[in-house]
């Protein structure tokens, strides 16, 4: 894991000993993570462990002070956020971050901002239809201002907006947050569906049980460090993980 | 103890507010304004009519400046105090290119006036656009993450610097321009003439406004601007170059000030190094009146302020007169901030606009 991978690998994303700071606070104390082509990887950990910071390091909003991030073999450690989006990383961020004064439709269209074929009405409409079929609720709310949607509906728009970008890698930060249990199940179905169409996903989740179900591998973060890294199945059987994150006591 | 005592008036005020007294005072003032206008209309309908037309004309020029305040505020929540001075330098640039370099004057042929003014317009827009964008780059961007007060101070500093540049170029006395536009009469209302020069100035503002609406509402750049104004980080996550978009917004705001600088020079045929301060105050008040950050609001506010100014300076029954224009504009600013901080068209936000 620590060996420098200079040759083209089957990793689409690699973080190598990444250290990220907020001012003088060291939020990530050197973490290494990989995402392979086509897989779902999950990051779990307690509040404040550094999950969101990891995603913000990847998407360029908080550049790491030390360490390296490679996407498709290219160094993106210090690339600007818009450049990183252009290279194919899209995300549904923590707190959803919709454009509140734009309609649902306008928000979804914003997702296509950097696409080369953004002016191709047909391609964009096909993608819209795909989002509406994943979230039928949104097709009823097309013209509603995003700021007036319920929390769950906003979450759907945030995911839909990320899909509209045609990402090569999708980052999801707590997509099930604030959703009713049936919608949580639905979100995880959708994650599977998106992934089955070939998009690799890095998934941050509080709902560790479901996250480990959908992921092939997982990382457990503890105060800015990777405490455990393993196959999702093995993590689910791990006693520490069971106790701390799955709420199983036996 | 002391704090207890000083809190007293506030809770008194709160009490009035809760009882609905304050909004009624606001409504009362608006009613008085209409009564005053009504009496003047019935006494001197001719004056009233021409002032109405002149007010709208002037208001459209103010609107171009007001939009610059609103555009920048919308995207950065920053009052660009240097904006009025960028406008002033737009007038200076128009004088420099149009009169001093191209030699436009009252005797120029129609053909020369048209291409000469077109060239002057392009120069003024480019100059003011680049100037405003450079101000953003050197004075505001480095302070993007500093406390709110810091960019406000540099904004005021930039304003002084530009004013000094204007003083150096124009001197301390107002400079008059020749009548480049035809001064013939378009129509008269009750014996008052409305000239072609004013009509041309007013009409010239309209396509500029239309172009701006198109830019903001219909183009990719405009979508980037709107997204950046609503959430900079989210905009970055959509692949928008946030710094580039902010720079572009200052560029557009500056270009509008350039158009206004030329139109104002043609309208008043008199420019001065401190016009950026007076007109900046008027335009800023217009933007706040319409709802700062709201673009149609800025134009509406500017037309209303243009009308108020014309009525104040031209009506005969109990009008305070031009000596009081600045005080009135400031009073309006304060009244809006008290009674309707979100402005006429602004949205009511939890923070109060
Ligand atoms: N803007 C900030 N300024 C200072 N410290 C921050 C900032 N954002 C996050 N932190 C700190 O960085 C650490 C990691 O935060 P992060 O948001 O990555 O946690 P998280 O794992 O996503 O938590 P949660 O499950 O609550 O979302 C925390 O200790 C947090 O307090
Ligand atoms: Mg988080």
């Amino acid at each position: 894991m620590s060996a420098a991978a200079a040759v083209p690998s089957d990793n689409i994303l690699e973080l190598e000993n990444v250290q990220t700071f907020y001012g003088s606070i060291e939020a990530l104390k050197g973490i290494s993570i990989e995402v392979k082509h086509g897989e779902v990887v999950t990051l779990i950990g307690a509040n404040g462990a550094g999950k969101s910071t990891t995603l913000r390091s990847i998407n360029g909003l908080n550049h790491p002070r030390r360490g390296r991030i490679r996407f498709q073999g290219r160094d993106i450690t210090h690339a600007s956020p818009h450049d990183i989006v252009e290279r194919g990383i899209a995300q549904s961020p923590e707190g959803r971050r919709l454009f509140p004064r734009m309609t649902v439709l306008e928000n979804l269209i914003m997702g296509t901002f950097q696409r080369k074929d953004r002016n191709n009405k047909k391609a964009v409409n096909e993608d819209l239809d795909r989002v509406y079929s994943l979230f039928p609720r949104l097709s009823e709310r097309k013209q509603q201002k995003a700021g007036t949607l319920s929390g769950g509906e906003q979450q759907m728009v945030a995911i839909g907006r990320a899909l509209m970008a045609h990402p090569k890698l999708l980052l999801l930060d707590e997509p099930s947050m604030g959703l009713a249990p049936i919608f949580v199940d639905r979100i995880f179905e959708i994650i599977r569906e998106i992934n089955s169409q070939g998009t690799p996903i890095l998934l941050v989740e509080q709902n560790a049980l479901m996250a480990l179900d959908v992921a092939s591998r997982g990382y457990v973060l503890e105060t800015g460090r990777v405490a455990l890294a393993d196959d999702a199945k093995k993590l689910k059987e791990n006693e520490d993980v069971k106790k701390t994150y799955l709420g199983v006591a036996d | 103890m002391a704090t207890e005592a000083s809190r007293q008036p506030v809770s008194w005020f709160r009490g009035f507010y809760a009882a609905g007294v304050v909004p009624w005072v606001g409504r009362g003032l608006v009613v008085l304004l209409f009564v005053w206008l009504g009496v003047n209309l019935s006494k001197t309908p001719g004056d009233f009519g021409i002032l109405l037309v002149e007010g709208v004309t002037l208001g459209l020029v103010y609107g171009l400046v007001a939009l610059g305040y609103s555009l920048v505020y919308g995207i950065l929540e920053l009052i660009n105090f240097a904006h009025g001075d960028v406008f002033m330098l737009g007038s200076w640039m128009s004088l420099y290119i149009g009169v001093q370099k191209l030699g436009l004057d009252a005797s120029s042929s129609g053909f020369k006036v048209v291409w000469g003014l077109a060239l002057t317009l392009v120069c003024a827009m480019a100059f003011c656009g680049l100037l405003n964008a450079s101000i953003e780059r050197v004075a505001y961007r480095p302070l993007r993450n500093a406390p709110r007060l810091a960019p406000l101070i540099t904004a005021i500093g930039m304003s002084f610097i530009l004013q000094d540049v204007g003083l150096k170029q124009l001197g301390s006395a107002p400079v008059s321009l020749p009548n480049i536009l035809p001064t013939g009469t378009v129509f008269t209302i009750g014996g008052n003439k409305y000239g072609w020069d004013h009509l041309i100035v007013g009409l010239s503002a309209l396509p500029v406004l239309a172009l701006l609406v198109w830019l903001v509402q219909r183009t990719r750049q405009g979508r980037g601007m709107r997204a950046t104004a609503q959430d900079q980080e989210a905009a970055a996550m959509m692949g928008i170059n946030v710094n580039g978009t902010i720079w572009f917004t200052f560029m557009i705001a500056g270009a509008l000030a350039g158009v206004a600088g030329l139109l104002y020079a043609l309208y008043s045929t008199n420019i001065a190094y401190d016009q950026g301060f007076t007109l900046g105050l008027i335009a800023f008040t217009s933007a706040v009146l319409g709802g700062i950050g709201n673009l149609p609001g800025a134009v509406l506010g500017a037309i209303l302020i243009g009308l108020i100014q014309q009525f104040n300076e031209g009506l005969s029954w109990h009008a305070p007169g031009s000596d009081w224009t600045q005080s009135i504009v400031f009073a309006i600013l304060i009244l809006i901030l008290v009674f309707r901080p979100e402005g006429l068209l602004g949205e009511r936000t939890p923070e109060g606009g």
Side-chain angles (χ1 to χ4, degrees):
Chain A
M1 197 181 233
S2 58
V7 273
S9 65
D10 49 356
N11 293 334
I12 185 161
L13 180 77
E14 296 165 332
L15 277 72
E16 204 180 299
N17 198 26
V18 165
Q19 284 168 267
T20 303
F21 290 71
Y22 292 104
S24 59
I25 301 167
E26 188 174 13
L28 299 183
K29 299 168 181 165
I31 67 164
S32 300
I33 285 175
E34 293 161 16
V35 180
K36 293 187 175 50
H37 288 282
E39 75 174 340
V40 178
V41 172
T42 184
L43 284 184
I44 56 181
N47 295 121
K51 305 179 298 292
S52 300
T53 306
T54 305
L55 298 192
R56 293 174 63 88
S57 303
I58 298 168
N59 68 24
L61 288 173
N62 283 87
H63 291 299
R65 204 170 286 178
R66 276 185 282 278
R68 248 174 202 292
I69 302 177
R70 267 186 298 264
F71 178 62
Q72 297 184 310
R74 299 235 173 79
D75 193 307
I76 58 162
T77 318
H78 300 287
S80 55
H82 62 94
D83 186 27
I84 291 171
V85 177
E86 214 158 311
R87 285 167 196 244
I89 302 183
Q91 76 167 327
S92 162
E94 181 168 44
R96 306 176 291 252
R97 308 297 288 265
L98 301 183
F99 301 106
R101 299 194 293 277
M102 293 187 191
T103 63
V104 168
L105 180 61
E106 287 172 308
N107 266 279
L108 292 175
I109 298 289
M110 281 312 298
T112 66
F113 194 85
Q114 44 64 49
R115 269 171 56 176
K116 302 258 178 322
D117 62 342
R118 59 180 172 265
N119 292 324
N120 180 343
K121 281 242 164 57
K122 192 162 160 277
V124 170
N125 282 334
E126 273 170 17
D127 290 329
L128 279 173
D129 288 341
R130 175 172 169 231
V131 170
Y132 292 145
S133 71
L134 290 174
F135 306 103
R137 183 63 161 259
L138 296 186
S139 67
E140 301 158 21
R141 308 264 156 173
K142 275 177 222 180
Q143 300 303 337
Q144 190 171 333
K145 290 267 190 294
T148 66
L149 294 173
S150 80
E153 289 164 343
Q154 291 190 13
Q155 190 67 65
M156 299 176 199
V157 179
I159 298 172
R161 188 178 64 175
L163 290 177
M164 293 299 292
H166 269 190
K168 296 191 179 104
L169 170 68
L170 181 60
L171 310 179
L172 298 175
D173 199 339
E174 305 197 18
S176 71
M177 178 106 120
L179 294 181
I182 39 162
F183 277 120
V184 174
D185 291 344
R186 180 83 189 108
I187 289 286
F188 279 95
E189 268 171 47
I190 287 166
I191 290 171
R192 269 198 196 91
E193 215 170 310
I194 295 165
N195 178 247
S196 71
Q197 291 166 15
T199 312
I201 297 172
L202 181 57
L203 169 68
V204 166
E205 255 304 331
Q206 291 288 340
N207 194 331
L209 188 60
M210 298 196 80
L212 289 172
D213 267 338
V214 62
S216 57
R217 290 184 310 112
Y219 294 82
V220 178
L221 291 193
E222 258 167 39
T223 58
R225 288 205 170 81
V226 177
L228 276 171
D230 214 334
D231 285 344
K233 277 198 202 80
K234 292 195 184 131
L235 283 177
K236 246 169 46 178
E237 300 307 318
N238 184 298
E239 289 306 318
D240 288 341
V241 173
K242 269 189 185 169
K243 241 185 272 164
T244 323
Y245 303 106
L246 303 181
V248 190
D250 59 348
Chain B
M1 266 290 137
T3 53
E4 198 65 9
S6 63
R7 257 193 215 128
Q8 209 61 19
V10 175
S11 64
W12 268 76
F13 184 75
R14 284 267 157 78
F16 276 122
Y17 212 102
V21 174
V22 171
W24 281 106
V25 173
R27 274 167 221 161
L29 287 172
V30 173
V31 169
L32 275 179
L33 176 70
F34 278 103
V35 168
W36 175 69
L37 288 174
V39 172
N40 270 297
L41 172 60
S42 64
K43 279 178 181 277
T44 48
D47 288 357
F48 191 93
I50 194 73
L51 291 170
L52 190 75
V53 182
E54 293 286 2
V56 172
T57 309
L58 197 57
L60 286 169
V61 179
Y62 291 166
L64 295 174
V65 186
L67 280 168
Y69 283 101
S70 243
L71 275 168
V72 165
Y73 185 87
I75 209 155
L76 278 188
E77 297 194 2
L78 166 83
I79 310 291
N80 179 12
F81 277 109
H83 190 73
D85 303 285
V86 172
F87 152 78
M88 176 273 293
L89 289 179
S91 283
W92 165 72
M93 196 67 190
S94 306
L95 170 79
Y96 177 73
I97 299 288
V99 178
Q100 294 171 357
K101 289 285 157 202
L102 300 175
L104 295 174
D105 61 24
S107 62
S108 302
S109 68
F111 177 70
K112 183 174 175 186
V113 166
V114 170
W115 73 255
L117 286 181
L119 187 61
T120 309
L121 180 69
V122 170
C123 291
M125 286 175 80
F127 173 73
C128 291
L130 285 172
L131 177 63
N132 209 33
S134 313
I135 292 173
E136 189 275 326
R137 188 69 190 82
V138 302
Y140 303 147
R141 195 184 299 180
L143 299 172
R144 194 77 55 75
N145 297 316
R148 281 287 184 85
L149 195 56
L152 209 64
I153 292 168
T154 54
I156 293 169
M158 284 314 301
S159 167
F160 280 123
I161 293 172
L162 297 187
Q163 233 181 82
D164 285 346
V165 171
L167 184 60
K168 181 95 201 321
Q169 300 298 333
L170 291 167
S172 56
V175 177
S176 51
L177 279 76
N179 285 313
I180 297 168
L181 293 176
T183 51
T185 305
V186 187
F187 55 76
T188 56
I189 304 175
N192 301 296
K193 288 173 186 151
Y194 184 69
W196 277 106
D197 48 350
H198 289 191
L199 180 70
I200 292 169
V201 164
L203 289 183
S204 305
L206 296 178
V208 180
L209 294 176
L211 209 63
L212 183 75
V213 171
W214 172 80
L215 174 80
V216 173
Q217 296 297 334
R218 293 268 170 267
T219 67
R220 181 162 186 262
Q221 272 293 349
R223 274 198 299 144
M225 285 163 72
R226 283 185 293 141
T228 305
Q230 292 180 37
D231 187 334
Q232 282 187 25
E233 278 195 352
M237 286 183 238
M238 300 299 109
I240 293 164
N241 180 346
V242 170
N243 276 335
T245 303
I246 291 171
W247 190 88
F248 180 77
T249 304
F250 273 81
M251 183 84 197
I252 295 299
L256 289 172
V259 179
L262 171 62
L263 293 183
Y264 182 79
L266 293 172
Y267 179 92
S268 75
T269 63
N270 235 317
I271 64 176
Y273 82 96
D274 60 353
Q275 75 183 37
F277 175 73
T278 28
L279 218 132
L281 169 67
I282 287 175
F284 173 63
T285 304
S286 307
V288 175
L289 176 59
I292 186 116
N294 180 308
L295 301 187
V299 179
L300 174 69
I303 290 174
L304 290 177
I305 298 274
L307 286 170
I308 288 169
Q309 185 188 352
Q310 288 290 324
F311 285 141
N312 167 53
E313 293 177 3
L315 288 178
S316 43
W317 186 74
H318 285 294
S322 61
D323 289 350
W324 290 94
T325 297
Q326 280 199 41
S327 312
I328 290 171
V329 171
F330 245 121
I332 292 170
L333 183 57
I334 293 166
L335 290 173
I336 311 159
L337 292 176
V338 171
F339 293 114
R340 206 180 154 85
E342 74 279 13
L344 295 176
L345 300 186
E347 286 167 52
R348 281 172 194 257
T349 59
E351 309 93 67

